[in-house]
Amino acid sequence: MNLRDEIRRAYDPVKPPEETIEKMKQELYQKDFHEDEEELTFIAEEARRPGIRQYFGYFAMTAAVCLVLGGVIWNGMQEKVNDFHPGSNVNIETTVPTEETTEETAETTTAPE
């Protein structure tokens, strides 16, 4: 048994008074009788098409968003550019330690006794 049958069984014993039934019938009859006099007219209008300015605005906003996102991505990629080129020569600077630097390092590395 579904919910609809349960509701129907619950409300079937409910009966309105006879005068209420007659009053409702008269009101419905009067509405049907006067319905012919009142003609309902519906005017269907064609929807307005957006103007060229609105299309230009959409295009401008889309272009602005694309430019901003492109700039953010470009800046992010430029920070990660590596200057290493595998086929190029690499200059290695060699420094020969002098006696002064070895003595200073020797002094600083010895622990006090």
Side-chain angles (χ1 to χ4, degrees):
M1 181 177 297
N2 60 15
L3 184 62
R4 184 176 184 176
D5 291 337
E6 288 181 29
I7 293 172
R8 188 173 285 158
R9 270 194 305 134
Y11 282 101
D12 277 345
V14 177
K15 299 287 182 192
E18 287 296 323
E19 58 190 41
T20 307
I21 293 173
E22 289 300 319
K23 185 178 178 182
M24 293 284 288
K25 285 182 182 178
Q26 288 296 325
E27 287 178 9
L28 290 173
Y29 176 72
Q30 292 296 326
K31 283 184 181 179
D32 289 341
F33 184 69
H34 293 294
E35 191 172 292
D36 294 335
E37 294 173 5
E38 298 174 19
E39 290 185 21
L40 299 176
T41 57
F42 296 101
I43 299 172
E45 294 180 6
E46 193 172 315
R48 281 186 16 163
R49 292 184 56 184
I52 190 78
R53 288 182 183 173
Q54 195 169 6
Y55 285 123
F56 180 72
Y58 292 150
F59 176 73
M61 285 189 293
T62 304
V65 168
C66 289
L67 286 173
V68 168
L69 288 176
V72 168
I73 292 171
W74 180 262
N75 283 337
M77 303 229 3
Q78 290 299 317
E79 291 175 1
K80 296 182 181 187
V81 170
N82 192 353
D83 291 333
F84 176 72
H85 301 288
S88 65
N89 293 332
V90 179
N91 293 333
I92 300 175
E93 295 179 18
T94 57
T95 57
V96 179
T98 61
E99 291 180 18
E100 294 174 3
T101 57
T102 55
E103 289 176 7
E104 289 175 7
T105 55
E107 289 177 10
T108 57
T109 55
T110 45
E113 294 178 15

